[in-house]
Amino acid sequence: MAIKLPPDSAARFLPENPTDLAALRDAAAGCTACPLHQLGTQTVFGEGSKRADVMLVGEQPGDAEDIAGKPFVGPAGKLLDRALKEAGIDRRKTYVTNAVKHFKWVPRGKRRIHSSPNTMEIRACNPWLKAEILAVRPRVLVCLGAIAAAAVIGPKFRVTKDRGRFVPSEFAPYVVGTIHPSMLLRLEDEESKRIEYGRLVEDLRLVHDVLAQAA
Ligand code: URA
């Protein structure tokens, strides 16, 4: 009879002091809890201020991030930077990370094409995200896209229906979900792009307003 082993988890890689971001980053570099470590060039850990009021969570690193070892530095990251700026949020004062820390891709000719992480991979990686949240303790957590929202808020969250309003959460006083900026890159007509970009900025303005109230 085949013995079914439980899926592995990053929990066994956590450092002794799991609220030390530098120790977390070092430990995550050697994580082999799911098969994605064999695909990605390196672990792409979160980046930003330990005292950030805002944490932004994406899905997983893309091609550019996998090479740079930094989150949101490719085309989706450029769009995110623009939207944050327009909403009055300084990215340098945020902490930016992903639900999954390795790039999952499939080959298409010479290109590496994004492939969505599965439930097992998201779960295996979750201890890193939870540890980052506990280490930074942001006032506002922003989930970019369905995978980030599922990892932080839960599987019932629907971006189309639930975006742009704060939901109760154990992880931060204010938690909100919105679209992933890469969705804008997939839209073909300019008008839809303009409208959806505007909605993203509107959602991020909520975050700006909460921060402004606290200041
Ligand atoms: N998409 C993500 O979700 N995260 C990144 O870091 C880049 C693209």
Side-chain angles (χ1 to χ4, degrees):
M1 188 179 70
I3 299 170
K4 200 166 175 238
L5 293 171
D8 199 359
S9 156
R12 70 185 175 89
F13 293 89
L14 288 176
E16 218 163 273
N17 178 0
T19 58
D20 177 342
L21 269 183
L24 277 172
R25 168 186 292 278
D26 282 354
C31 185
T32 56
C34 84
L36 298 187
H37 74 276
Q38 294 163 330
L39 270 183
T41 306
Q42 56 191 316
T43 303
V44 180
F45 204 67
E47 196 181 62
S49 165
K50 175 163 172 57
R51 279 180 289 279
D53 282 326
V54 183
M55 183 182 285
L56 298 144
V57 183
E59 180 193 291
Q60 62 162 337
D63 186 74
E65 290 79 13
D66 174 68
I67 293 162
K70 291 166 181 284
F72 280 106
V73 293
K78 303 242 170 342
L79 261 176
L80 177 63
D81 287 354
R82 211 177 104 204
L84 284 170
K85 200 167 173 197
E86 219 164 307
I89 301 167
D90 183 349
R91 174 167 169 171
R92 290 168 305 180
K93 293 189 181 155
T94 69
Y95 185 91
V96 181
T97 192
N98 283 300
V100 170
K101 309 287 194 254
H102 279 105
F103 178 35
K104 183 174 181 182
W105 57 277
V106 288
R108 189 181 298 157
K110 285 189 181 157
R111 294 177 61 206
R112 302 189 301 170
I113 305 298
H114 163 277
S115 167
S116 290
N118 64 34
T119 308
M120 189 270 288
E121 291 150 356
I122 297 165
R123 276 206 199 126
C125 210
N126 204 252
W128 295 123
L129 178 60
K130 297 272 159 76
E132 286 175 298
I133 295 172
L134 290 176
V136 177
R137 291 195 295 117
R139 197 166 154 67
V140 191
L141 245 171
V142 184
C143 304
L144 301 167
I147 288 191
V152 174
I153 302 169
K156 292 203 178 123
F157 188 92
R158 293 284 167 270
V159 174
T160 40
K161 186 163 69 68
D162 304 320
R163 69 181 288 179
R165 54 192 155 91
F166 295 113
V167 294
S169 167
E170 64 191 288
F171 295 118
Y174 295 92
V175 175
V176 66
T178 185
I179 59 153
H180 192 288
S182 66
M183 186 268 240
L184 301 171
L185 298 169
R186 291 193 295 272
L187 292 174
E188 286 186 359
D189 76 289
E190 287 307 314
E191 183 58 4
S192 310
K193 254 188 205 169
R194 192 187 61 75
I195 291 169
E196 287 305 326
Y197 174 76
R199 291 186 70 201
L200 172 63
V201 172
E202 242 174 68
D203 291 346
L204 293 173
R205 277 214 184 99
L206 285 178
V207 176
H208 167 268
D209 293 349
V210 162
L211 298 176
Q213 276 166 24

